[in-house]
Amino acid sequence: MKIIKLLFTGCVAVFIAACTNDRKQATDSTDSVKAILDTTQNNIDVLSDIPWTAEMDSVSEKYTMKRSPIYSSEILTKDNVIESINRKYPENKLVWEGLKNDTAYVKIENSDYLTQSSGSTGARIFLAESTYSLTELPHVNVVYFDFTVGDHATPGPYTRTSFDFSMPQNNR
């Protein structure tokens, strides 16, 4: 009789241990799904492209600014706009410095590529795309670029009207 009680107690213990293990595996699975959802939710903030791009007309060879149709359904924040610009132009890394009134202040710590290597047209395109993209943010009408002046670009305030690609480059 003692042997039967002992066997019965052993079976119950094994059964309880098995049930507890299943709960732990279910909890681990739930935690994994939650982690995937949290990661996906965080990635929603990453823009697939910059909001505005400069496109050249192959016939007239003039540039125009075009709004990216991809971003229209995405939420714009200062962080994801800066990140998308930095992803496209890693050599001209923008750093958000702040917002005062309607002016966004950004800095390019190493502006050698922008001012010395990208050429006048490359610098204008970078500044135009950055300005147009950042002025998509609420309450931003001016972008003040802080960087060391060079041959192809000048720091200072830029608006969308600063970029008329049909005019010579030094007219802002």
Side-chain angles (χ1 to χ4, degrees):
M1 183 85 160
K2 284 185 177 185
I3 295 177
I4 294 176
K5 284 184 182 180
L6 188 58
L7 280 171
F8 180 72
T9 306
C11 288
V12 170
V14 169
F15 180 75
I16 291 173
C19 290
T20 304
N21 192 24
D22 287 345
R23 284 188 198 141
K24 182 171 179 9
Q25 286 177 347
T27 302
D28 289 346
S29 296
T30 303
D31 290 343
S32 298
V33 170
K34 185 177 182 314
I36 291 168
L37 290 175
D38 288 346
T39 302
T40 304
Q41 195 170 24
N42 290 340
N43 286 340
I44 290 172
D45 292 340
V46 175
L47 298 179
S48 51
D49 196 5
I50 62 175
W52 284 86
T53 58
E55 291 183 3
M56 185 178 81
D57 180 277
S58 60
V59 176
S60 68
E61 295 187 357
K62 291 185 180 178
Y63 285 90
T64 57
M65 295 303 295
K66 300 284 185 190
R67 176 182 275 172
S68 172
I70 297 171
Y71 99 90
S72 62
S73 64
E74 298 174 299
I75 297 170
L76 296 181
T77 67
K78 67 175 178 60
D79 294 329
N80 64 16
V81 173
I82 293 286
E83 187 276 332
S84 68
I85 295 167
N86 287 341
R87 191 174 350 109
K88 183 172 182 178
Y89 297 103
E91 59 281 336
N92 298 332
K93 187 176 182 214
L94 283 179
V95 177
W96 181 268
E97 295 283 302
L99 178 68
K100 184 174 181 183
N101 299 324
D102 68 342
T103 304
Y105 291 85
V106 294
K107 184 175 189 169
I108 304 172
E109 292 180 357
N110 183 1
S111 60
D112 290 344
Y113 185 84
L114 175 69
T115 62
Q116 300 302 120
S117 300
S118 65
S120 298
T121 302
R124 289 181 72 210
I125 288 172
F126 169 77
L127 292 170
E129 289 181 349
S130 298
T131 299
Y132 270 71
S133 295
L134 288 166
T135 56
E136 276 296 313
L137 296 169
H139 311 294
V140 176
N141 296 313
V142 180
V143 179
Y144 187 93
F145 290 90
D146 180 17
F147 57 86
T148 304
V149 68
D151 294 339
H152 302 296
T154 304
Y158 289 82
T159 65
R160 290 183 180 198
T161 60
S162 302
F163 303 98
D164 180 359
F165 286 103
S166 64
M167 296 177 69
Q169 70 169 15
N170 50 358
N171 291 337
R172 295 198 281 151

